[in-house]
Amino acid sequence: MADCASDDEMELQTSIILRANVIFMSTLAILTFYLSYKAFMILKVGSIFHSSTRILLFTGLGFVNFHELAFFYLQIITIYRSFTLSERPCEIMRTTKECRAQNHSLIFGLAGITFTQSALSLERLIATIIPEKYSKLKKWPGIVLSIIAILCSLSAPFIIVWNDPFEDTVPNCFFFPAQSRFRANVFLMTLTGFVFFSIFLNLIIISVNKSSELSTRFLVEQRYQKREALISTRIVCYIAIAQFFALAFYSCSVLALRLMKDQIPRAYYHNIVWWAYTVPFAAVALPALLIYRINQSGRWRKKVINKITNMTETQEEHMESLKQLWG
């Protein structure tokens, strides 16, 4: 059974700051569900992505929605207890054992978002290094990398809480068990490192693809492959950058807060930690950026095609338009 809440903890559990956070994050989760559905339909109908990349993007959308569903459930339970147990300090707290499943779900979702991002970057690298063989492999690179990302994500919660007795009392299931907090910090910093590496790798791939695109200017099939890889890699890079900022802010701010924990009143500390959890922003970034970049690419291509078909131009102007169409 959980310990009774102190006055500071009761203030935390019933504060307007916590309730506002729940409403805001729940709204963000609902937005993620909606945008994910739209992104899923765009990818399903057909898009600029190779089938292997689409598999990984579907996997990423799955992880994003799993995380947001787990976090949404946690938020609903939190605000429900905030109102119904506001006068019961000996019932409002939770034990980490009670929270084990919810905690594991959050870690699994968070790890999955990051590992899928890394898998996307590796898949883009494969497409750049061996484009001909990559095309023949069809969906298999995406399937294999998705399986690896899922297995790594499944193992993450068990590694973090390995041998933890789960005897702590926490305000809600958002918080890690005390004995596992160091490993949780390492985990968060590791995820940030993974995303940073993905950005670095994608920038290199973009540079290589742009250079090699020029050397295959008059080889239609090869240039199409390079152009496809370039567009896909740019989108993956944009997503990685958005997720990097969200994860870096969360991991760095939580680490700083834990180092200064003794200097911050407990109620304020937990409220700040709630607002510092920026992973939902990383989650919503995936479908939002997918929709935006795919639609932007489609509009740009239509604009160039309309320009070519509706204008009378010289041979030189026509060649220049074709160059623009190819990027």
Side-chain angles (χ1 to χ4, degrees):
M1 184 176 176
D3 297 332
C4 294
S6 65
D7 291 340
D8 284 345
E9 287 167 339
M10 285 302 295
E11 182 183 348
L12 161 70
Q13 297 281 48
T14 57
S15 71
I16 189 66
I17 298 174
L18 180 140
R19 291 170 180 173
N21 177 272
V22 170
I23 294 170
F24 177 75
M25 291 297 182
S26 298
T27 303
L28 200 60
I30 293 169
L31 179 62
T32 303
F33 300 147
Y34 171 71
L35 292 176
S36 294
Y37 171 76
K38 292 194 69 175
F40 176 83
M41 295 308 297
I42 291 173
L43 289 172
K44 183 181 177 183
V45 171
S47 67
I48 58 176
F49 297 107
H50 187 273
S51 57
S52 173
T53 309
R54 287 170 64 194
I55 292 292
L56 282 167
L57 289 172
F58 283 134
T59 304
L61 287 173
F63 274 119
V64 159
N65 283 275
F66 182 89
H67 175 275
E68 288 304 283
L69 187 62
F71 193 52
F72 181 74
Y73 174 77
L74 189 154
Q75 295 274 45
I76 296 301
I77 294 297
T78 298
I79 199 167
Y80 173 78
R81 293 172 66 87
S82 175
F83 282 105
T84 60
L85 302 177
S86 59
E87 303 295 330
R88 303 177 190 175
C90 292
E91 296 179 36
I92 200 167
M93 300 293 282
R94 309 290 298 276
T95 64
T96 49
K97 191 171 184 179
E98 289 177 305
C99 293
R100 189 170 185 172
Q102 294 176 47
N103 221 246
H104 276 44
S105 298
L106 279 180
I107 297 169
F108 171 72
L110 173 56
I113 292 171
T114 308
F115 291 146
T116 305
Q117 176 60 58
S118 299
L120 275 165
S121 300
L122 289 175
E123 191 259 357
R124 293 290 83 219
L125 181 64
I126 295 169
T128 301
I129 295 174
I130 48 172
E132 292 81 10
K133 191 170 183 179
Y134 168 80
S135 295
K136 293 177 182 178
L137 290 172
K138 297 183 179 179
K139 296 180 180 180
W140 282 107
I143 292 172
V144 172
L145 288 170
S146 292
I147 292 171
I148 293 172
I150 292 169
L151 291 176
C152 290
S153 302
L154 284 170
S155 65
F158 298 100
I159 293 172
I160 291 173
V161 298
W162 186 265
N163 284 334
D164 196 297
F166 293 98
E167 296 174 345
D168 311 301
T169 297
V170 290
N172 52 62
C173 297
F174 173 75
F175 296 93
F176 289 104
Q179 190 169 308
S180 302
R181 282 173 190 163
F182 173 76
R183 277 175 288 184
N185 287 339
V186 174
F187 169 70
L188 292 173
M189 297 304 293
T190 301
L191 292 187
T192 305
F194 265 101
V195 179
F196 182 77
F197 174 75
S198 296
I199 295 171
F200 179 72
L201 185 60
N202 284 318
L203 291 174
I204 292 175
I205 294 170
I206 289 171
S207 177
V208 170
N209 281 327
K210 284 185 72 70
S211 299
S212 60
E213 192 180 22
L214 295 174
S215 65
T216 57
R217 180 176 298 178
F218 303 108
L219 302 174
V220 177
E221 183 178 355
Q222 289 90 331
R223 184 157 191 193
Y224 176 79
Q225 290 173 349
K226 296 295 182 184
R227 188 62 188 167
E228 180 191 61
L230 182 60
I231 293 172
S232 300
T233 305
R234 279 177 175 169
I235 294 175
V236 170
C237 189
Y238 293 141
I239 295 169
I241 290 171
Q243 292 183 340
F244 169 75
F245 282 117
L247 290 173
F249 179 83
Y250 171 55
S251 58
C252 293
S253 59
V254 169
L255 185 60
L257 284 168
R258 284 176 180 163
L259 291 173
M260 298 185 295
K261 186 175 181 179
D262 295 336
Q263 304 169 31
I264 304 173
R266 190 167 183 178
Y268 291 117
Y269 169 81
H270 287 301
N271 270 319
I272 295 170
V273 170
W274 266 103
W275 283 99
Y277 191 70
T278 51
V279 177
F281 293 98
V284 76
L286 175 59
L289 287 173
L290 270 178
I291 294 168
Y292 173 72
R293 293 298 300 179
I294 291 172
N295 288 340
Q296 185 186 52
S297 178
R299 286 194 301 268
W300 180 81
R301 287 175 182 272
K302 286 178 183 178
K303 183 179 178 181
V304 175
I305 291 170
N306 288 334
K307 184 179 178 182
I308 292 172
T309 55
N310 295 329
M311 287 183 64
T312 303
E313 51 189 8
T314 64
Q315 185 176 359
E316 290 182 359
E317 290 172 337
H318 180 66
M319 292 302 295
E320 183 62 30
S321 296
L322 289 176
K323 286 181 182 179
Q324 291 180 14
L325 179 61
W326 283 106

